Amino acid sequence: MPSRLVRTWIRERAGALRYLPALFRQVHAASPRLFAASLALRLVRACLPVAMLYLAKLILDAIVAEHGRPRTTPMGLEAWLADPHLARLAGLVALELGLAVLTDILGRLGTLVDGLMADLYGNAATLRLMRHAAALDLAQFEDSAQQDRLERARRQVTGRANLIAQVFGLGQNCVTLASFAVGLAAFTPWLILLLVAALVPAFLNEMHFNRQGYRLAWQRTPERRRIDYLRYLGASVEAAKEVKLFGLNGYLTERFDALARKLLADNRSLMIRRAAWGGGFAALGTLAYYLAYAVIVWRTVAGQFSIGDLAFLAGSFQRLRGLIEDMLLAVSLIASQAQYLDDLFSFFEIRPLIRSPEHPAPMPEPIRHGLAFEDVGFRYPGAAAWAVRHLSFTLRAGEVLALVGENGAGKTTIVKLMTRLYDPVEGRILLDGRPLPAYDLDALRARIGVIFQDFVRFDLTASENVAVGRIAERADAARIAEAAGRSLADGVIRRLPQGYDQPLGKRFEDGIDLSGGEWQKIAIARAYMREADILILDEPTAALDARSEYAVFQRFRDLTRGRSAVLISHRFSTVRMADRILVLEQGRVLESGTHAELQALGGRYAELFELQAAGYR
Ligand SMILES: Nc1ncnc2c1ncn2[C@@H]1O[C@H](COP(=O)(O)OP(=O)(O)OP(=O)(O)O)[C@@H](O)[C@H]1O
């Protein structure tokens, strides 16, 4: 191999190991005591094999010596123990037994400690992952490349603690190896070298295929995510209705099958090549072992070694061969698994772009002037078209503003910009004269309550489904009931068999599903739970019947008096209740005014209103 290739090869492997110290730190932090116990156990276990083998040699030599001595048979136990030679032999055997039992016990204990440590670390890493994912920007979530990274990281949180066990195991084997090497060096040092040399090609081979395996897994993340998605669609409560009625099952299973076969084909060819090469190199190692064995046998026959020496050497070589092979495999396995650490730790390195400033401005209490858009333009990452552009308007304090416009006009985008789920690409948004990024992100979001059209139906209890609006108050039953009362969800919840404690959704035991409109009433209760200064309802009422929507908004209008609110609805009977209406078209404000003013203007609003009214006549 040319030297440049060798250097790249080494760099790649060394690079793969760079996250190992961080992993060690995290595992240690997750359970310092278990970490220390695991280390100590391994150190003791490392020294046991050579001690046992040496004892076996002493036993054999003692037996051979006894063979030469004349004695009357059979002998009783007392006569055995009275004979100093035989008593020593019995002592050696008892010691060997003791060590064997200790080996078993320490082995079990080690597995237990490692297992507990892996579980604790797995939990700690999952918590970190959840916390970090929650801090990321929405844009980072929506980007498919980032979703691939998240998926890779998610696969890594569990199971990586095994890596620690492997590293510890490698250390343990090193100590054992050193102890054997010391014992053997006295007899035949160069034979050890022979064994090592014969096993190196097998090691390099493993490293090579590990790397290829990782590359394949990395490249196949998008397909794997797709496969997971198909599996989910084919077997989920959420999709079951449409899968049945549209007869999608055949289509889904076919797609799954095709993708799974493709992944399998790639994997299979790698596995076959790996097995073929691995088998060849393993044979080389075996050959070296038997060569060493032949040398020892020959020298024993020649009278240079005793029978005990022969047993010790043959045993040592056999153990050594297994040991070196294990160690080489462990090194390559560690290097290969450490590559996957990259997936985990590089995920933690993704930094959200939408953050709080270091010195946030104090939030105005209450909001005096309102929220002003100044020539705001926004384009979704990767999108060619502007979602909104040259947008200027003010949501005044205490005002109820309605946004109307056709699908895709930019209404939801405005809400996302107000709540800093995204930041504008052009222009700025001011709250009481200061740009939004001047305020602490959490403080800002705490003052705004938003219910989106695609609000989440949590598979939690009815009470918790309301409480998510202000999760810190989840134990405050009176507050939850009051919020539910305001949004008309109270009536829905009281009719449930378990009332507020009723689990909702079909995912878990005893869960009950609600109608679309009933879910919406519960979702709207979250906004009241929040008691925010700015309330935004982004079409969460589409599934309500006309009477309910009217009632919900009438109450909303009354209950939010003195607070700012944004209403998004396609129903003009609702929209007309607003203090001011913005008509949007292709991301711009086309018209603005009260219902009466816009009617009088005879523009787009009047046209759309007339269209809807005609439908009812
Ligand atoms: N996450 C996204 N990534 C890329 N483009 C998006 C994304 N969300 C919305 N868009 C695009 O931005 C534009 C404005 O969308 P927006 O959701 O704000 O419309 P809307 O007025 O709320 O529509 P609707 O009445 O259908 O809810 C649309 O052209 C839409 O295709």
Side-chain angles (χ1 to χ4, degrees), residues 522-550:
I522 288 190
I524 294 166
R526 293 173 193 164
Y528 293 120
M529 193 67 197
R530 203 149 179 84
E531 290 211 336
D533 303 60
I534 301 177
L535 282 171
I536 305 175
L537 297 189
D538 178 359
E539 250 186 284
T541 49
L544 294 187
D545 53 78
R547 190 200 304 271
S548 290
E549 174 166 328
Y550 186 80

PDB file of all heavy atoms in Angstrom, residues 522-550:
ATOM      1  N   ILE A 522     -60.967  20.508  22.527  1.00  0.00           N
ATOM      2  CA  ILE A 522     -59.940  20.234  23.538  1.00  0.00           C
ATOM      3  C   ILE A 522     -58.664  21.005  23.219  1.00  0.00           C
ATOM      4  O   ILE A 522     -58.028  21.598  24.100  1.00  0.00           O
ATOM      5  CB  ILE A 522     -59.681  18.717  23.613  1.00  0.00           C
ATOM      6  CG1 ILE A 522     -60.906  18.076  24.281  1.00  0.00           C
ATOM      7  CG2 ILE A 522     -58.389  18.409  24.370  1.00  0.00           C
ATOM      8  CD1 ILE A 522     -60.775  16.659  24.672  1.00  0.00           C
ATOM      9  N   ALA A 523     -58.324  21.046  21.936  1.00  0.00           N
ATOM     10  CA  ALA A 523     -57.098  21.762  21.548  1.00  0.00           C
ATOM     11  C   ALA A 523     -57.227  23.254  21.859  1.00  0.00           C
ATOM     12  O   ALA A 523     -56.286  23.886  22.338  1.00  0.00           O
ATOM     13  CB  ALA A 523     -56.815  21.553  20.067  1.00  0.00           C
ATOM     14  N   ILE A 524     -58.414  23.805  21.613  1.00  0.00           N
ATOM     15  CA  ILE A 524     -58.596  25.247  21.851  1.00  0.00           C
ATOM     16  C   ILE A 524     -58.489  25.560  23.351  1.00  0.00           C
ATOM     17  O   ILE A 524     -58.017  26.628  23.741  1.00  0.00           O
ATOM     18  CB  ILE A 524     -59.938  25.736  21.260  1.00  0.00           C
ATOM     19  CG1 ILE A 524     -59.868  25.596  19.730  1.00  0.00           C
ATOM     20  CG2 ILE A 524     -60.209  27.193  21.604  1.00  0.00           C
ATOM     21  CD1 ILE A 524     -61.202  25.720  19.042  1.00  0.00           C
ATOM     22  N   ALA A 525     -58.885  24.587  24.173  1.00  0.00           N
ATOM     23  CA  ALA A 525     -58.763  24.792  25.624  1.00  0.00           C
ATOM     24  C   ALA A 525     -57.299  25.048  26.008  1.00  0.00           C
ATOM     25  O   ALA A 525     -57.019  25.737  26.986  1.00  0.00           O
ATOM     26  CB  ALA A 525     -59.294  23.569  26.358  1.00  0.00           C
ATOM     27  N   ARG A 526     -56.370  24.488  25.221  1.00  0.00           N
ATOM     28  CA  ARG A 526     -54.937  24.720  25.521  1.00  0.00           C
ATOM     29  C   ARG A 526     -54.600  26.206  25.462  1.00  0.00           C
ATOM     30  O   ARG A 526     -53.772  26.697  26.224  1.00  0.00           O
ATOM     31  CB  ARG A 526     -54.060  23.983  24.496  1.00  0.00           C
ATOM     32  CG  ARG A 526     -54.171  22.483  24.615  1.00  0.00           C
ATOM     33  CD  ARG A 526     -53.437  21.797  23.482  1.00  0.00           C
ATOM     34  NE  ARG A 526     -53.826  20.395  23.455  1.00  0.00           N
ATOM     35  CZ  ARG A 526     -53.631  19.576  22.432  1.00  0.00           C
ATOM     36  NH1 ARG A 526     -53.022  20.003  21.343  1.00  0.00           N
ATOM     37  NH2 ARG A 526     -54.006  18.324  22.496  1.00  0.00           N
ATOM     38  N   ALA A 527     -55.248  26.911  24.527  1.00  0.00           N
ATOM     39  CA  ALA A 527     -54.966  28.342  24.386  1.00  0.00           C
ATOM     40  C   ALA A 527     -55.412  29.085  25.645  1.00  0.00           C
ATOM     41  O   ALA A 527     -54.718  29.980  26.128  1.00  0.00           O
ATOM     42  CB  ALA A 527     -55.677  28.893  23.166  1.00  0.00           C
ATOM     43  N   TYR A 528     -56.569  28.694  26.218  1.00  0.00           N
ATOM     44  CA  TYR A 528     -57.055  29.353  27.439  1.00  0.00           C
ATOM     45  C   TYR A 528     -56.210  28.976  28.645  1.00  0.00           C
ATOM     46  O   TYR A 528     -56.053  29.742  29.580  1.00  0.00           O
ATOM     47  CB  TYR A 528     -58.518  28.989  27.684  1.00  0.00           C
ATOM     48  CG  TYR A 528     -59.425  29.558  26.633  1.00  0.00           C
ATOM     49  CD1 TYR A 528     -60.210  28.741  25.846  1.00  0.00           C
ATOM     50  CD2 TYR A 528     -59.479  30.938  26.423  1.00  0.00           C
ATOM     51  CE1 TYR A 528     -61.045  29.264  24.875  1.00  0.00           C
ATOM     52  CE2 TYR A 528     -60.301  31.468  25.458  1.00  0.00           C
ATOM     53  CZ  TYR A 528     -61.079  30.629  24.682  1.00  0.00           C
ATOM     54  OH  TYR A 528     -61.889  31.156  23.729  1.00  0.00           O
ATOM     55  N   MET A 529     -55.681  27.768  28.610  1.00  0.00           N
ATOM     56  CA  MET A 529     -54.816  27.297  29.688  1.00  0.00           C
ATOM     57  C   MET A 529     -53.591  28.208  29.776  1.00  0.00           C
ATOM     58  O   MET A 529     -53.052  28.463  30.837  1.00  0.00           O
ATOM     59  CB  MET A 529     -54.397  25.875  29.299  1.00  0.00           C
ATOM     60  CG  MET A 529     -53.770  25.062  30.352  1.00  0.00           C
ATOM     61  SD  MET A 529     -54.901  24.656  31.653  1.00  0.00           S
ATOM     62  CE  MET A 529     -53.702  24.166  32.885  1.00  0.00           C
ATOM     63  N   ARG A 530     -53.202  28.692  28.626  1.00  0.00           N
ATOM     64  CA  ARG A 530     -51.938  29.416  28.523  1.00  0.00           C
ATOM     65  C   ARG A 530     -52.002  30.818  29.141  1.00  0.00           C
ATOM     66  O   ARG A 530     -51.008  31.321  29.620  1.00  0.00           O
ATOM     67  CB  ARG A 530     -51.549  29.512  27.049  1.00  0.00           C
ATOM     68  CG  ARG A 530     -50.098  29.728  26.827  1.00  0.00           C
ATOM     69  CD  ARG A 530     -49.643  29.100  25.539  1.00  0.00           C
ATOM     70  NE  ARG A 530     -48.222  29.337  25.341  1.00  0.00           N
ATOM     71  CZ  ARG A 530     -47.281  28.598  25.876  1.00  0.00           C
ATOM     72  NH1 ARG A 530     -47.606  27.587  26.643  1.00  0.00           N
ATOM     73  NH2 ARG A 530     -46.016  28.856  25.644  1.00  0.00           N
ATOM     74  N   GLU A 531     -53.172  31.472  29.034  1.00  0.00           N
ATOM     75  CA  GLU A 531     -53.292  32.858  29.495  1.00  0.00           C
ATOM     76  C   GLU A 531     -52.202  33.736  28.928  1.00  0.00           C
ATOM     77  O   GLU A 531     -51.482  34.427  29.655  1.00  0.00           O
ATOM     78  CB  GLU A 531     -53.277  32.911  31.017  1.00  0.00           C
ATOM     79  CG  GLU A 531     -54.539  32.333  31.600  1.00  0.00           C
ATOM     80  CD  GLU A 531     -54.950  32.945  32.894  1.00  0.00           C
ATOM     81  OE1 GLU A 531     -54.079  33.478  33.574  1.00  0.00           O
ATOM     82  OE2 GLU A 531     -56.148  32.887  33.216  1.00  0.00           O
ATOM     83  N   ALA A 532     -52.066  33.681  27.614  1.00  0.00           N
ATOM     84  CA  ALA A 532     -51.017  34.453  26.954  1.00  0.00           C
ATOM     85  C   ALA A 532     -51.542  35.836  26.589  1.00  0.00           C
ATOM     86  O   ALA A 532     -52.745  36.067  26.589  1.00  0.00           O
ATOM     87  CB  ALA A 532     -50.570  33.712  25.711  1.00  0.00           C
ATOM     88  N   ASP A 533     -50.624  36.755  26.242  1.00  0.00           N
ATOM     89  CA  ASP A 533     -51.038  38.101  25.840  1.00  0.00           C
ATOM     90  C   ASP A 533     -51.524  38.103  24.397  1.00  0.00           C
ATOM     91  O   ASP A 533     -52.313  38.935  24.001  1.00  0.00           O
ATOM     92  CB  ASP A 533     -49.856  39.078  25.903  1.00  0.00           C
ATOM     93  CG  ASP A 533     -49.249  39.122  27.261  1.00  0.00           C
ATOM     94  OD1 ASP A 533     -48.787  38.061  27.735  1.00  0.00           O
ATOM     95  OD2 ASP A 533     -49.223  40.202  27.843  1.00  0.00           O
ATOM     96  N   ILE A 534     -50.945  37.169  23.616  1.00  0.00           N
ATOM     97  CA  ILE A 534     -51.344  37.092  22.210  1.00  0.00           C
ATOM     98  C   ILE A 534     -51.855  35.682  21.962  1.00  0.00           C
ATOM     99  O   ILE A 534     -51.128  34.708  22.196  1.00  0.00           O
ATOM    100  CB  ILE A 534     -50.152  37.383  21.276  1.00  0.00           C
ATOM    101  CG1 ILE A 534     -49.593  38.778  21.562  1.00  0.00           C
ATOM    102  CG2 ILE A 534     -50.567  37.247  19.823  1.00  0.00           C
ATOM    103  CD1 ILE A 534     -48.366  39.129  20.744  1.00  0.00           C
ATOM    104  N   LEU A 535     -53.104  35.576  21.538  1.00  0.00           N
ATOM    105  CA  LEU A 535     -53.670  34.255  21.261  1.00  0.00           C
ATOM    106  C   LEU A 535     -53.872  34.094  19.764  1.00  0.00           C
ATOM    107  O   LEU A 535     -54.359  35.015  19.100  1.00  0.00           O
ATOM    108  CB  LEU A 535     -55.010  34.103  21.971  1.00  0.00           C
ATOM    109  CG  LEU A 535     -54.924  33.804  23.457  1.00  0.00           C
ATOM    110  CD1 LEU A 535     -56.297  33.892  24.093  1.00  0.00           C
ATOM    111  CD2 LEU A 535     -54.343  32.414  23.673  1.00  0.00           C
ATOM    112  N   ILE A 536     -53.472  32.960  19.267  1.00  0.00           N
ATOM    113  CA  ILE A 536     -53.592  32.740  17.826  1.00  0.00           C
ATOM    114  C   ILE A 536     -54.330  31.439  17.577  1.00  0.00           C
ATOM    115  O   ILE A 536     -53.938  30.389  18.090  1.00  0.00           O
ATOM    116  CB  ILE A 536     -52.191  32.658  17.174  1.00  0.00           C
ATOM    117  CG1 ILE A 536     -51.385  33.916  17.513  1.00  0.00           C
ATOM    118  CG2 ILE A 536     -52.319  32.468  15.673  1.00  0.00           C
ATOM    119  CD1 ILE A 536     -49.952  33.874  17.023  1.00  0.00           C
ATOM    120  N   LEU A 537     -55.400  31.510  16.841  1.00  0.00           N
ATOM    121  CA  LEU A 537     -56.108  30.294  16.440  1.00  0.00           C
ATOM    122  C   LEU A 537     -55.947  30.151  14.935  1.00  0.00           C
ATOM    123  O   LEU A 537     -56.529  30.908  14.166  1.00  0.00           O
ATOM    124  CB  LEU A 537     -57.589  30.368  16.810  1.00  0.00           C
ATOM    125  CG  LEU A 537     -57.948  30.455  18.293  1.00  0.00           C
ATOM    126  CD1 LEU A 537     -59.455  30.302  18.482  1.00  0.00           C
ATOM    127  CD2 LEU A 537     -57.224  29.395  19.117  1.00  0.00           C
ATOM    128  N   ASP A 538     -55.107  29.208  14.534  1.00  0.00           N
ATOM    129  CA  ASP A 538     -54.853  29.023  13.109  1.00  0.00           C
ATOM    130  C   ASP A 538     -55.749  27.900  12.600  1.00  0.00           C
ATOM    131  O   ASP A 538     -55.341  26.744  12.529  1.00  0.00           O
ATOM    132  CB  ASP A 538     -53.371  28.680  12.893  1.00  0.00           C
ATOM    133  CG  ASP A 538     -53.051  28.435  11.428  1.00  0.00           C
ATOM    134  OD1 ASP A 538     -53.984  28.519  10.593  1.00  0.00           O
ATOM    135  OD2 ASP A 538     -51.890  28.150  11.104  1.00  0.00           O
ATOM    136  N   GLU A 539     -56.973  28.253  12.333  1.00  0.00           N
ATOM    137  CA  GLU A 539     -57.929  27.311  11.737  1.00  0.00           C
ATOM    138  C   GLU A 539     -58.090  26.005  12.502  1.00  0.00           C
ATOM    139  O   GLU A 539     -58.194  24.955  11.874  1.00  0.00           O
ATOM    140  CB  GLU A 539     -57.443  26.953  10.330  1.00  0.00           C
ATOM    141  CG  GLU A 539     -58.291  27.508   9.237  1.00  0.00           C
ATOM    142  CD  GLU A 539     -57.795  26.972   7.912  1.00  0.00           C
ATOM    143  OE1 GLU A 539     -56.747  27.453   7.430  1.00  0.00           O
ATOM    144  OE2 GLU A 539     -58.441  26.066   7.386  1.00  0.00           O
ATOM    145  N   PRO A 540     -58.093  26.031  13.819  1.00  0.00           N
ATOM    146  CA  PRO A 540     -58.290  24.746  14.491  1.00  0.00           C
ATOM    147  C   PRO A 540     -59.773  24.418  14.579  1.00  0.00           C
ATOM    148  O   PRO A 540     -60.147  23.457  15.219  1.00  0.00           O
ATOM    149  CB  PRO A 540     -57.691  24.982  15.879  1.00  0.00           C
ATOM    150  CG  PRO A 540     -57.904  26.431  16.117  1.00  0.00           C
ATOM    151  CD  PRO A 540     -57.930  27.129  14.793  1.00  0.00           C
ATOM    152  N   THR A 541     -60.611  25.250  13.927  1.00  0.00           N
ATOM    153  CA  THR A 541     -62.057  25.079  14.084  1.00  0.00           C
ATOM    154  C   THR A 541     -62.705  24.510  12.841  1.00  0.00           C
ATOM    155  O   THR A 541     -63.918  24.406  12.776  1.00  0.00           O
ATOM    156  CB  THR A 541     -62.696  26.453  14.373  1.00  0.00           C
ATOM    157  OG1 THR A 541     -62.205  27.363  13.401  1.00  0.00           O
ATOM    158  CG2 THR A 541     -62.355  26.942  15.747  1.00  0.00           C
ATOM    159  N   ALA A 542     -61.893  24.127  11.850  1.00  0.00           N
ATOM    160  CA  ALA A 542     -62.457  23.702  10.565  1.00  0.00           C
ATOM    161  C   ALA A 542     -63.422  22.531  10.716  1.00  0.00           C
ATOM    162  O   ALA A 542     -64.367  22.403   9.948  1.00  0.00           O
ATOM    163  CB  ALA A 542     -61.333  23.348   9.610  1.00  0.00           C
ATOM    164  N   ALA A 543     -63.188  21.686  11.738  1.00  0.00           N
ATOM    165  CA  ALA A 543     -64.051  20.507  11.879  1.00  0.00           C
ATOM    166  C   ALA A 543     -65.277  20.789  12.750  1.00  0.00           C
ATOM    167  O   ALA A 543     -66.088  19.918  12.963  1.00  0.00           O
ATOM    168  CB  ALA A 543     -63.260  19.339  12.456  1.00  0.00           C
ATOM    169  N   LEU A 544     -65.344  22.012  13.294  1.00  0.00           N
ATOM    170  CA  LEU A 544     -66.515  22.322  14.130  1.00  0.00           C
ATOM    171  C   LEU A 544     -67.708  22.606  13.224  1.00  0.00           C
ATOM    172  O   LEU A 544     -67.546  23.187  12.146  1.00  0.00           O
ATOM    173  CB  LEU A 544     -66.234  23.555  14.992  1.00  0.00           C
ATOM    174  CG  LEU A 544     -65.157  23.428  16.059  1.00  0.00           C
ATOM    175  CD1 LEU A 544     -65.137  24.680  16.923  1.00  0.00           C
ATOM    176  CD2 LEU A 544     -65.416  22.210  16.928  1.00  0.00           C
ATOM    177  N   ASP A 545     -68.896  22.206  13.686  1.00  0.00           N
ATOM    178  CA  ASP A 545     -70.070  22.567  12.902  1.00  0.00           C
ATOM    179  C   ASP A 545     -70.244  24.079  13.014  1.00  0.00           C
ATOM    180  O   ASP A 545     -69.671  24.717  13.905  1.00  0.00           O
ATOM    181  CB  ASP A 545     -71.306  21.807  13.408  1.00  0.00           C
ATOM    182  CG  ASP A 545     -71.504  21.993  14.887  1.00  0.00           C
ATOM    183  OD1 ASP A 545     -72.009  23.057  15.266  1.00  0.00           O
ATOM    184  OD2 ASP A 545     -71.100  21.091  15.662  1.00  0.00           O
ATOM    185  N   ALA A 546     -71.020  24.646  12.109  1.00  0.00           N
ATOM    186  CA  ALA A 546     -71.095  26.107  12.004  1.00  0.00           C
ATOM    187  C   ALA A 546     -71.538  26.736  13.330  1.00  0.00           C
ATOM    188  O   ALA A 546     -70.982  27.746  13.763  1.00  0.00           O
ATOM    189  CB  ALA A 546     -72.042  26.492  10.881  1.00  0.00           C
ATOM    190  N   ARG A 547     -72.498  26.079  14.001  1.00  0.00           N
ATOM    191  CA  ARG A 547     -72.992  26.637  15.253  1.00  0.00           C
ATOM    192  C   ARG A 547     -71.886  26.639  16.313  1.00  0.00           C
ATOM    193  O   ARG A 547     -71.660  27.630  16.994  1.00  0.00           O
ATOM    194  CB  ARG A 547     -74.179  25.810  15.745  1.00  0.00           C
ATOM    195  CG  ARG A 547     -74.922  26.456  16.906  1.00  0.00           C
ATOM    196  CD  ARG A 547     -75.734  25.432  17.654  1.00  0.00           C
ATOM    197  NE  ARG A 547     -76.674  24.718  16.786  1.00  0.00           N
ATOM    198  CZ  ARG A 547     -77.909  25.154  16.549  1.00  0.00           C
ATOM    199  NH1 ARG A 547     -78.317  26.289  17.053  1.00  0.00           N
ATOM    200  NH2 ARG A 547     -78.716  24.451  15.784  1.00  0.00           N
ATOM    201  N   SER A 548     -71.158  25.524  16.394  1.00  0.00           N
ATOM    202  CA  SER A 548     -70.080  25.436  17.387  1.00  0.00           C
ATOM    203  C   SER A 548     -68.991  26.451  17.094  1.00  0.00           C
ATOM    204  O   SER A 548     -68.489  27.115  17.999  1.00  0.00           O
ATOM    205  CB  SER A 548     -69.455  24.044  17.382  1.00  0.00           C
ATOM    206  OG  SER A 548     -70.338  23.111  17.907  1.00  0.00           O
ATOM    207  N   GLU A 549     -68.623  26.573  15.820  1.00  0.00           N
ATOM    208  CA  GLU A 549     -67.545  27.520  15.503  1.00  0.00           C
ATOM    209  C   GLU A 549     -67.975  28.933  15.895  1.00  0.00           C
ATOM    210  O   GLU A 549     -67.201  29.689  16.489  1.00  0.00           O
ATOM    211  CB  GLU A 549     -67.148  27.470  14.025  1.00  0.00           C
ATOM    212  CG  GLU A 549     -66.137  28.588  13.723  1.00  0.00           C
ATOM    213  CD  GLU A 549     -65.398  28.490  12.409  1.00  0.00           C
ATOM    214  OE1 GLU A 549     -65.142  27.367  11.959  1.00  0.00           O
ATOM    215  OE2 GLU A 549     -65.050  29.544  11.839  1.00  0.00           O
ATOM    216  N   TYR A 550     -69.216  29.251  15.588  1.00  0.00           N
ATOM    217  CA  TYR A 550     -69.708  30.593  15.934  1.00  0.00           C
ATOM    218  C   TYR A 550     -69.615  30.794  17.441  1.00  0.00           C
ATOM    219  O   TYR A 550     -69.096  31.801  17.913  1.00  0.00           O
ATOM    220  CB  TYR A 550     -71.146  30.752  15.429  1.00  0.00           C
ATOM    221  CG  TYR A 550     -71.665  32.150  15.613  1.00  0.00           C
ATOM    222  CD1 TYR A 550     -71.306  33.157  14.709  1.00  0.00           C
ATOM    223  CD2 TYR A 550     -72.474  32.485  16.689  1.00  0.00           C
ATOM    224  CE1 TYR A 550     -71.745  34.461  14.879  1.00  0.00           C
ATOM    225  CE2 TYR A 550     -72.933  33.789  16.871  1.00  0.00           C
ATOM    226  CZ  TYR A 550     -72.561  34.767  15.966  1.00  0.00           C
ATOM    227  OH  TYR A 550     -72.990  36.057  16.141  1.00  0.00           O
TER     228      TYR A 550
END
